[in-house]
Amino acid sequence: MKYRRIGSPPSRILYGSTTTPSLILTLLLILMATRFSLSRSAHFCLRSTSSFSPLSTKNLLQCRSCPLWSSSFSLCLHTFRKSTSPGNRRSKSITVRSFSPSSPSISDHPYKMSMASDDNPLLKDFDFPPFDVIEAKHVRPGIRSLLKKIDEELSALEKTVEPTWPKLVEPLEKIIDRLTVVWGAVNHLKSVKDNPELRSALEEVQPEKVAFQLKLGQSKPIYNAFKAIRESPEWDSLNDARKRIVESQIKEAVLSGIALEDDKREQFNKIEQDLAKLSQKFEENVLDSTKKFEKLITDKKDIEGLPATSLGLAAQTAVSKGHENATAEDGPWIITLDAPSYMSVMQHAKNRTLREEVYRAYINRASSGDLDNTEIINQILKLRLEKAKLLGYNNYAEVSMAMKMATVEKAEELLEKLRSASWDPAVKDLEDLKDFCKSQGSPEADDLNHWDITFWSERLRESKYELNEEELRPYFSLPRVMDGLFNLVKMLFDINVEPVDGLAPVWNNDVRFYRVNDSSGSPIAYFYFDPYSRPSEKRGGAWMDEVVSRSRVLSRDGSNARLPVAHMVCNQMPPVGDKPSLMTFREVETVFHEFGHALQHMLTKQDEGLVAGIRGVEWDAVELPSQFMENWCYHRDTLMGIAKHHETGETLPEDIYKKLLAAKTFRAGTLSLRQLRFATVDLELHAKYVPGGSESIYCVDRRVSKKTQVLPPLPDDKFLASFSHIFAGGYAAGYYSYKWAEVLSADAFSAFEDVGLENEKAVKETGQRFRETVLALGGGKAPLEVFVQFRGREPSPEPLLRHNGLLTSSA
C-alpha cells in the first residue's frame, strides 16, 4: 500500500524473506518484550505508520508504497509494460451516470455534480472516471470549478454543523468524496500517462487544492463538533467504526495545525504548500532522469549473457526509439534504467564495464543538472523540521510517529538490534560470493564492486540451487498467473472474478477491467489492472489505490451501499513478439501482493465510507493482506496451478518447486542490512539531521552505511536523490516499520497451516473467517482487535520463525 500508493517505486529482488535465523531470534525477543499488548490507542500495526484518513490534509488521496526493494537498491521490480494485444481496444465513450456502481441496474445518484458549460468530463456525473477522455486542458477549469463548489458547501456546513452523524460526518463525507474521486483520477493519470501538459496543469491547481485541504483540516466548527461527539453522553453508544472516525479526525486536526494562532497558522500553511510542490517536483525529476538514460548497443558481444527475453525487450525499445529494423538476434539494442532492462543487465550481463556504467547511472539518478534533487531534499527536510517545531515537536520523526505504534527511541533501538543480528550473516554472504568468484576464475574476485554483486549472486544462486530465474519465465505467463490467482481467491473467499473489458473507460489499451461477484453472482466490487512497464509515461513500481470506496452515505438507491472500485498497477516486462508477458517468480509474488491490498479494499463490508476498505487502516496493518497473499505463491497446489509452460502446457517440475522453496532465504543477511540502511538513514534525516549544518545528506548516508553495508557505497553514491518513499511518499520516518508486517502475515497464514493446507474444506472455512475479519472490517476496528477476532489470540512470532527455517512444524 503512493505515498503515494499501497505499493511503491522501489523494487525487490527478494521480498518478505530477508530474515536470518539470528535476526529472527532478535526479532522474537523484541516482540516478546513488547508482548504484543498494545494499547487501544496505539492499535496493533507492525510497522507504525499513520492511518489513511480521507479527511486528513496530508493523507488525502495518498496511496502507500509497497516495500519492493532490490538487493542493489530501490527499484520496484514487478514491473510490467505495454502489450500489443489488439483485443483490448476500448471505445472512447463516457458513461454519464453516477460516481460508482452499486448494482447492475444504475439509477441516478442522489448527490450529483453540476455540469460545466464546456462539458468538462471531470465534472460529469459518472459510473467510472472517464480516463480515456480526460486531458490536461480539462484539469484547470475542472478542478477549479469543483473546488469552488465544495468550498461553498464546506462554508455552508460550518454554519449549520451539529455534533450528530447526519449533520456532521455524512455531509462532510460527500464533500470529501467528490474531491477524492476527481483529483484521484487526474493524479492517477499523471502516474500512468505522464506528459508535460498534464504536469503543468496539476502544478498550477495543486496550491488551490492544498488550500482547500488546509481549510478543511483547520475548520474549528468541524473540529469542535467532533470533540462534542467525543464528550457527549451518546459516545458510549457509538459503534467501533464511528468512534474510530471521531478519534482519528480529532488527532488529525491537531496535526493539521488547528491549534495554531493566526501568524503561525499562516506559516504552517505556507510550509504545507511548499512541501506539496517540492514532493511533486522530486518525483518528476526521478521519472525524467530515469527516462533520460539510454544506452545504444550495436555489438552483441557487449550484452553477452542477457537472456532472450531481455534482448527482445531491448530490441523492442530500440524500435520505439526509431531503429525500425532492430531485432533481438541482431540488434541494435537499447538499455534503459527502467526496471526490467536495468535488472536484466545487473543480473546477467557479462560485460563488467556495461554493468558499472548502468549501475552508476542508476544510483545517481536525479542528482545533477536541471534534475538535481539535492537542494529539493534539503528544502523538504528544513520545512519538515519547521513544521514539527510549530506543532510543538522536537523533530519531524516525532510528528510522523504521533499516530503510530513506536516512538523514535524504540524504532532506533529496534533497528540497531536487527542490524547487529544481520551483520555477521551479511559478512558471510560476501565471503561466500568472493569464494565462488574465485572458484569460477573470475578476475574481479579480489575486487568485487557493487556492479558485480547482483551478477555473481545470480550465478551463485544458479549453482547452489540449480535454479535459473530466466528459465522459469516460460512457466509463468501473465494470463495463466491471473487465472490461478482468481481460482485461489474463489476457493478461499467464495468470490468470482470476471473480465468486463469495455464496461469502464481505461487510460491504455493494455489495461484490463474486472468485476468481483459474490457466490450468488451479484457484483460486490470492480478493479482495473495495468500490468506493463511504459517508461516514457509511467512511474516505476507496483501499487494499489482506491478509485472509490464502499459507502452507505453515497448509496445510489438509499439502501445498497456504493460498491468499491480499485486499481492495481505493475511494471513488468510486456509481451515480446508473439509471446505473452512471461513473468519472473518475483513478479508473480508482486501481483499476489498487490491483489492482497485490493482484496482488503474490495471485500470490505464496512458501510461507513471514512473507514471502509483501506481507509482508516493504519499503514502498518495495511500490509497484512498483501504479505498474506504472497505466502500462497509457495503453496504447492497454488503454484502448480499457475506454473504451466506457455507453449507445451507442461507443469513446473517438482524438483524445481522444491528448489524455489529452498532459495527463499538466499543472501538474507545482505538483503536485510540493505533495508536497515534505508530505514536508518530515514530516521537519521528526520530525527537528528540539522539542515544547513556541517554534514550533508550524503554524508549522513555514508555514516549510516558504515554500520549497515559490508561493502561500503561508492563515494559518489547519491541514491537519496531518488528515494521517493520518504521524499515523495508517505514513509518519512516510517520506513523502519516494514519488517514488522511479516509477523502478522506469517501468523495469519499459519492459521491455514494449522488446519492443513491439503484439507480444502478446512481451508475454505478459515478463508471465510479471514474474509469476515481482516478483509471485511476495514478501518472500523483497531487492527489488533481484528487480528484477535480472526486468529483467536494475539499475534505470535513463532510462524515467522518457522517459515524462515528456525523452527520445524510440529507433527
Side-chain angles (χ1 to χ4, degrees):
M1 35 224 194
K2 300 172 225 136
Y3 48 155
R4 299 204 4 183
R5 308 148 167 110
I6 296 189
S8 135
S11 107
R12 71 183 176 197
I13 286 297
L14 190 60
Y15 175 66
S17 57
T18 61
T19 354
T20 63
S22 60
L23 185 152
I24 298 172
L25 281 172
T26 299
L27 181 58
L28 171 60
L29 294 174
I30 294 169
L31 295 177
M32 291 180 69
T34 60
R35 299 174 56 240
F36 282 102
S37 297
L38 308 177
S39 69
R40 175 180 175 84
S41 61
H43 308 309
F44 181 73
C45 317
L46 293 186
R47 282 194 350 218
S48 64
T49 57
S50 62
S51 61
F52 174 76
S53 168
L55 299 187
S56 163
T57 59
K58 69 182 181 202
N59 287 338
L60 185 65
L61 292 176
Q62 295 235 324
C63 325
R64 313 150 190 77
S65 308
C66 291
L68 312 181
W69 292 88
S70 118
S71 63
S72 300
F73 3 78
S74 60
L75 148 114
C76 206
L77 203 49
H78 317 154
T79 47
F80 302 22
R81 188 208 208 96
K82 180 176 181 182
S83 128
T84 53
S85 168
N88 287 340
R89 299 257 169 211
R90 273 78 169 189
S91 65
K92 296 209 170 197
S93 60
I94 300 178
T95 309
V96 187
R97 291 179 183 141
S98 61
F99 263 33
S100 165
S102 61
S103 66
S105 91
I106 302 175
S107 58
D108 288 338
H109 196 288
Y111 198 62
K112 286 190 174 184
M113 183 174 296
S114 62
M115 297 289 288
S117 59
D118 61 351
D119 206 30
N120 191 315
L122 291 175
L123 301 179
K124 288 183 178 292
D125 204 22
F126 44 72
D127 286 316
F128 306 101
F131 288 120
D132 56 342
V133 295
I134 297 174
E135 299 179 18
K137 66 181 181 181
H138 300 128
V139 173
R140 293 179 181 88
I143 296 297
R144 283 173 174 152
S145 177
L146 172 62
L147 287 172
K148 181 176 184 296
K149 183 169 181 59
I150 60 177
D151 184 67
E152 292 171 353
E153 293 172 354
L154 176 59
S155 297
L157 175 60
E158 289 178 320
K159 294 175 183 178
T160 61
V161 67
E162 297 177 15
T164 66
W165 221 254
K167 295 289 187 178
L168 169 61
V169 182
E170 292 181 3
L172 194 57
E173 182 182 340
K174 292 175 181 178
I175 292 172
I176 290 298
D177 189 80
R178 296 162 76 193
L179 180 58
T180 300
V181 173
V182 175
W183 183 267
V186 175
N187 201 50
H188 173 68
L189 285 176
K190 183 177 181 294
S191 295
V192 297
K193 201 172 182 178
D194 186 48
N195 61 71
E197 294 77 20
L198 184 57
R199 281 189 188 184
S200 177
L202 274 169
E203 182 178 350
E204 189 172 321
V205 297
Q206 180 174 262
E208 298 164 47
K209 189 266 294 186
V210 173
F212 174 79
Q213 290 177 299
L214 288 166
K215 178 179 179 180
L216 171 63
Q218 297 169 357
S219 171
K220 289 193 174 180
I222 291 175
Y223 173 66
N224 290 333
F226 275 117
K227 287 205 303 181
I229 292 177
R230 178 66 180 87
E231 297 163 3
S232 71
E234 290 76 28
W235 173 254
D236 290 337
S237 65
L238 294 182
N239 62 32
D240 288 342
R242 292 192 171 188
K243 285 181 178 178
R244 292 260 294 174
I245 289 171
V246 173
E247 290 176 334
S248 174
Q249 297 319 309
I250 292 173
K251 292 177 184 178
E252 290 286 358
V254 173
L255 293 177
S256 296
I258 197 164
L260 298 177
E261 298 299 328
D262 292 344
D263 289 347
K264 289 186 176 180
R265 183 182 296 186
E266 184 177 340
Q267 181 184 356
F268 180 93
N269 291 350
K270 185 178 186 305
I271 288 173
E272 291 289 83
Q273 289 281 7
D274 290 345
L275 284 173
K277 294 177 184 176
L278 289 167
S279 291
Q280 178 174 314
K281 183 61 176 174
F282 182 98
E283 187 152 2
E284 289 173 356
N285 284 349
V286 174
L287 176 61
D288 289 346
S289 62
T290 302
K291 291 193 299 183
K292 187 176 181 180
F293 179 89
E294 293 179 3
K295 175 72 174 179
L296 177 65
I297 296 177
T298 56
D299 190 339
K300 194 168 186 177
K301 289 187 298 183
D302 292 338
I303 52 173
E304 184 182 355
L306 261 65
T309 53
S310 301
L311 291 174
L313 175 62
Q316 192 166 285
T317 302
V319 171
S320 70
K321 300 294 183 180
H323 301 273
E324 298 178 358
N325 298 321
T327 65
E329 295 76 19
D330 302 318
W333 306 269
I334 287 183
I335 301 299
T336 71
L337 298 182
D338 190 45
S341 178
Y342 169 79
M343 285 310 304
S344 180
V345 170
M346 300 312 298
Q347 286 182 299
H348 301 292
K350 296 182 179 180
N351 185 339
R352 194 185 189 206
T353 302
L354 175 64
R355 296 201 308 267
E356 178 180 357
E357 180 182 357
V358 174
Y359 177 86
R360 288 182 180 276
Y362 192 86
I363 62 170
N364 286 293
R365 289 179 302 156
S367 65
S368 63
D370 295 338
L371 302 177
D372 193 349
N373 273 337
T374 304
E375 184 55 32
I376 290 177
I377 294 174
N378 289 329
Q379 286 298 311
I380 288 174
L381 294 173
K382 177 176 178 290
L383 291 172
R384 285 176 176 172
L385 181 58
E386 290 178 9
K387 174 181 175 179
K389 298 288 189 181
L390 283 173
L391 293 174
Y393 293 92
N394 294 314
N395 52 63
Y396 185 77
E398 292 181 356
V399 176
S400 175
M401 295 190 187
M403 295 185 69
K404 297 177 183 177
M405 179 183 71
T407 63
V408 176
E409 292 74 21
K410 288 182 179 179
E412 290 174 337
E413 179 184 358
L414 168 65
L415 293 179
E416 173 52 30
K417 288 181 177 180
L418 296 179
R419 185 206 66 80
S420 178
S422 303
W423 184 263
D424 287 346
V427 170
K428 188 174 188 309
D429 284 344
L430 186 58
E431 291 174 350
D432 289 346
L433 203 59
K434 289 180 178 179
D435 290 343
F436 177 74
C437 287
K438 290 179 181 178
S439 72
Q440 301 300 303
S442 168
E444 63 257 33
D446 294 321
D447 185 33
L448 282 182
N449 217 313
H450 293 277
W451 45 87
D452 303 316
I453 300 300
T454 303
F455 175 81
W456 283 108
S457 294
E458 190 66 17
R459 305 290 80 74
L460 176 57
R461 193 171 77 102
E462 292 170 355
S463 173
K464 186 174 183 179
Y465 302 104
E466 297 180 344
L467 197 61
N468 184 302
E469 186 174 82
E470 285 299 316
E471 292 177 359
L472 292 179
R473 278 189 188 269
Y475 289 96
F476 297 117
S477 67
L478 179 60
R480 175 77 69 173
V481 169
M482 298 306 291
D483 286 345
L485 175 58
F486 297 156
N487 287 334
L488 173 65
V489 295
K490 179 178 181 179
M491 186 268 291
L492 291 176
F493 309 127
D494 199 19
I495 58 175
N496 290 285
V497 182
E498 62 174 333
V500 285
D501 296 317
L503 179 62
V506 295
W507 53 91
N508 183 278
N509 288 337
D510 293 319
V511 176
R512 303 297 308 275
F513 191 63
Y514 295 91
R515 179 167 57 214
V516 181
N517 302 317
D518 63 18
S519 57
S520 70
S522 299
I524 55 176
Y526 298 82
F527 71 96
Y528 303 83
F529 181 40
D530 184 354
Y532 308 128
S533 170
R534 296 187 298 276
S536 65
E537 63 178 11
K538 183 179 177 183
R539 64 185 288 271
W543 66 89
M544 168 269 162
D545 203 0
E546 70 169 66
V547 179
V548 300
S549 68
R550 182 180 175 90
S551 172
R552 170 188 55 83
V553 170
L554 290 160
S555 166
R556 214 145 329 137
D557 56 13
S559 59
N560 296 311
R562 181 184 66 177
L563 300 184
V565 183
H567 57 64
M568 281 172 54
V569 182
C570 293
N571 267 287
Q572 80 173 46
M573 186 177 291
V576 176
D578 59 355
K579 294 182 179 180
S581 176
L582 301 178
M583 306 167 68
T584 66
F585 183 70
R586 296 171 185 113
E587 289 170 342
V588 174
E589 289 180 285
T590 297
V591 170
F592 274 61
H593 179 102
E594 299 305 334
F595 197 62
H597 285 311
L599 286 171
Q600 186 173 34
H601 179 66
M602 296 188 296
L603 300 190
T604 184
K605 293 186 177 180
Q606 178 55 255
D607 288 340
E608 294 291 345
L610 301 182
V611 289
I614 60 174
R615 288 186 174 187
V617 179
E618 284 75 359
W619 283 22
D620 317 276
V622 167
E623 293 298 329
L624 166 56
S626 57
Q627 295 192 25
F628 164 81
M629 287 299 296
E630 286 187 58
N631 285 284
W632 293 99
C633 293
Y634 292 91
H635 176 231
R636 187 185 182 284
D637 289 350
T638 299
L639 185 63
M640 293 305 189
I642 65 175
K644 308 284 186 181
H645 197 283
H646 76 102
E647 292 178 336
T648 67
E650 174 194 4
T651 300
L652 185 75
E654 180 71 23
D655 64 321
I656 295 182
Y657 166 68
K658 292 179 179 178
K659 292 171 184 176
L660 272 174
L661 292 181
K664 278 183 68 175
T665 56
F666 179 60
R667 290 180 56 79
T670 298
L671 297 174
S672 179
L673 270 190
R674 187 148 193 94
Q675 287 277 40
L676 292 169
R677 173 194 177 187
F678 299 145
T680 304
V681 75
D682 170 31
L683 277 185
E684 283 284 324
L685 290 174
H686 288 105
K688 299 177 181 178
Y689 176 68
V690 180
S694 59
E695 194 177 31
S696 74
I697 56 172
Y698 301 118
C699 288
V700 173
D701 180 41
R702 283 192 285 274
R703 173 165 53 80
V704 167
S705 295
K706 289 179 181 179
K707 299 180 67 177
T708 58
Q709 295 290 278
V710 177
L711 184 63
L714 299 177
D716 60 343
D717 185 330
K718 295 183 177 179
F719 98 94
L720 285 174
S722 58
F723 197 179
S724 295
H725 262 89
I726 68 172
F727 297 120
Y731 285 92
Y735 196 88
Y736 75 93
S737 60
Y738 276 126
K739 288 287 183 187
W740 293 94
E742 296 178 43
V743 176
L744 280 176
S745 61
D747 198 356
F749 187 72
S750 74
F752 293 81
E753 294 174 319
D754 290 347
V755 301
L757 291 174
E758 308 308 317
N759 185 339
E760 185 171 330
K761 181 176 182 294
V763 166
K764 286 182 177 180
E765 292 173 351
T766 309
Q768 281 301 304
R769 193 168 74 249
F770 187 86
R771 176 183 174 181
E772 295 300 319
T773 53
V774 176
L775 300 180
L777 297 178
K781 181 172 284 193
L784 176 57
E785 296 177 29
V786 174
F787 187 91
V788 170
Q789 190 171 334
F790 164 65
R791 201 67 178 93
R793 57 165 173 74
E794 293 187 357
S796 166
E798 186 273 339
L800 178 62
L801 299 172
R802 177 164 45 79
H803 290 171
N804 283 274
L806 190 60
L807 298 179
T808 57
S809 301
S810 63

